[in-house]
Amino acid sequence: MNKQWPLDTAVSFDPYFGEPDHDGEQGYVLLPDGRVHFRLLAPGAREVVIDQFGARFPLFQGADGAWEGDVDLGLGFKYFFLKIDGADMLSPYLPIGYGCCRPMNFVDVPVPGEDWDALGDIPHGAVTRRVFPSAYTGKPEVCLVYTPPAFDPSKRYPVLYLQHGYGENETGWVYQGHVGRIADRLLHEGRMAEMLIVMGNGMTQTAGDAPVFDAFTHVLVQDLIPFIEAQYPVLTDKWHRAMAGLSMGSYQTSRVTLTHPELFGWAGLFSGFLRSPWGGEEEPHLALLRDGERFNASFRLFYRAMGTEDQFFDRFAGDDAMLAGLPARILRRTFPGGHDWSVWRRCIHDFLPMLFAEG
């Protein structure tokens, strides 16, 4: 098999694809036409299927017993479920990410013309895992902090707080979203301001409870922002603080920034929910949208973007209708694609150069 592997998402950078005398050769190959060739061993199995959220692609058993097939999952980052005789399995011979509240196999098929997240021979920043105390949850919480390649502790930096979606965690934007790679290249090209990017766990919960979707909004304001400002050389006024997120993280961004415009001067909603994705009553944070003078004075950029094939597009159209005629200045973009990382990478690539720009 062709030993292709996403460098910064692998446990081993130069992995062996199975012990030759024990596991056999298995894994995947990216084909020139964008399809993926899978080769997996499943002794005794009757059926092996690549299940892309309901779209099923069966593999076929060859003469040597291996299950193989060429599968078109689409371009970009694609999660899938590996099902063997109907049971969900996790293959150690395929890349592993985190989504749907569990480790998942994935492939990352290059998108022609979108090599702005390629590692390349350019300076790269660092991502550090930090543990911070939370008075709100009563337990330690975790965040990841991106610092730019030329990070200088004697300087002071603006900060973007960047959130993942439902069922993911603080690693999503680094490993699935490639935000560090994208920022490195934009900085190398002189197209964005140097900044810290802080990624927290939006699925955080209070001790002993099931996930509380608004818990992170309290953790962010009460615990995470003070921690970052105590630990890093950052600017602490609202014009040097931004928040953005995808899907569930976009709703968290909407709630936090519209509730606390004194804290944030920039906001980004990717596959962006202004209101709860589940519907319901009018929400208090939306009141600021109707106060055009105050809203427009509060944000230098309020950004909404989504994929044209997003499964929640009707919800976004409903938000468009709600905003129609309101005086709030909001920048709205669309990108080709659905509710997936291919779109969210396009969003962050578009959004970062706008942040902390003068005028």
Side-chain angles (χ1 to χ4, degrees):
M1 298 293 290
N2 186 344
K3 295 179 173 60
Q4 296 160 308
W5 205 270
L7 178 62
D8 57 355
T9 59
V11 176
S12 170
F13 288 168
D14 297 296
Y16 289 97
F17 275 51
E19 298 179 48
D21 297 329
H22 182 267
D23 298 320
E25 191 173 17
Q26 50 189 312
Y28 76 105
V29 176
L30 299 178
L31 301 175
D33 62 1
R35 292 180 300 162
V36 182
H37 178 77
F38 291 95
R39 175 182 166 86
L40 298 169
L41 298 180
R46 297 182 302 277
E47 180 185 58
V48 177
V49 173
I50 303 297
D51 183 342
Q52 190 182 37
F53 299 96
R56 292 168 54 87
F57 302 93
L59 304 184
F60 300 96
Q61 192 170 28
D64 65 353
W67 295 81
E68 299 192 56
D70 297 342
V71 177
D72 185 0
L73 295 174
L75 302 179
F77 182 97
K78 300 297 179 184
Y79 287 126
F80 58 85
F81 299 94
L82 172 63
K83 292 186 178 292
I84 298 179
D85 293 340
D88 285 343
M89 307 296 289
L90 190 68
S91 172
Y93 306 106
L94 300 172
I96 298 172
Y98 189 84
C100 298
C101 303
R102 48 163 279 180
M104 290 187 69
N105 289 129
F106 72 89
V107 292
D108 203 340
V109 182
V111 180
E114 294 188 3
D115 57 353
W116 25 257
D117 62 348
L119 286 168
D121 186 18
I122 63 173
H124 291 286
V127 176
T128 306
R129 186 176 188 266
R130 300 299 305 266
V131 177
F132 63 95
S134 171
Y136 184 80
T137 66
K139 58 187 177 68
E141 301 294 343
V142 177
C143 68
L144 298 181
V145 182
Y146 166 86
T147 49
F151 178 70
D152 180 352
S154 68
K155 293 172 60 175
R156 298 177 72 202
Y157 295 87
V159 185
L160 166 63
Y161 293 88
L162 182 63
Q163 287 308 115
H164 58 82
Y166 177 80
E168 297 167 339
N169 61 23
E170 70 281 355
T171 66
W173 269 110
V174 174
Y175 296 140
Q176 280 92 275
H178 292 176
V179 67
R181 297 184 183 189
I182 292 169
D184 290 341
R185 189 159 294 277
L186 288 171
L187 286 167
H188 181 67
E189 296 170 353
R191 295 181 52 205
M192 66 173 272
E194 285 189 312
M195 67 185 75
L196 270 63
I197 303 175
V198 178
M199 295 150 282
N201 178 15
M203 297 288 289
T204 192
Q205 54 189 314
T206 53
D209 291 337
V212 179
F213 298 118
D214 67 350
F216 179 75
T217 65
H218 299 285
V219 170
L220 173 65
V221 173
Q222 297 177 26
D223 303 315
L224 182 52
I225 290 175
F227 173 79
I228 294 298
E229 294 183 350
Q231 295 288 318
Y232 291 89
V234 298
L235 297 158
T236 58
D237 64 286
K238 66 169 284 172
W239 300 119
H240 292 94
R241 189 184 298 118
M243 184 177 180
L246 67 91
S247 194
M248 180 188 75
S250 73
Y251 176 53
Q252 291 171 328
T253 298
S254 176
R255 288 186 57 181
V256 170
T257 59
L258 293 175
T259 302
H260 295 283
E262 76 282 3
L263 296 180
F264 297 90
W266 313 76
L269 280 59
F270 312 151
S271 289
F273 296 105
L274 280 167
R275 299 174 287 180
S276 167
W278 305 279
E281 298 179 358
E282 179 74 3
E283 299 175 75
H285 70 280
L286 300 176
L288 183 59
L289 294 168
R290 297 179 175 86
D291 186 344
E293 183 176 356
R294 183 169 173 239
F295 177 91
N296 294 331
S298 295
F299 297 99
R300 289 188 178 159
L301 174 66
F302 202 98
Y303 174 103
R304 293 176 61 224
M306 64 285 295
T308 52
E309 288 84 50
D310 196 299
Q311 66 199 67
F312 296 104
F313 203 90
D314 287 348
R315 292 290 300 170
F316 306 145
D319 285 344
D320 292 340
M322 178 190 71
L323 292 169
L326 294 183
R329 288 197 301 266
I330 295 177
L331 178 62
R332 182 183 182 279
R333 303 271 214 222
T334 56
F335 297 99
H339 199 79
D340 59 52
W341 279 106
S342 300
V343 168
W344 301 325
R345 289 176 183 174
R346 293 170 183 138
C347 290
I348 197 67
H349 181 256
D350 187 48
F351 181 69
L352 284 174
M354 302 182 198
L355 283 185
F356 312 120
E358 294 300 324

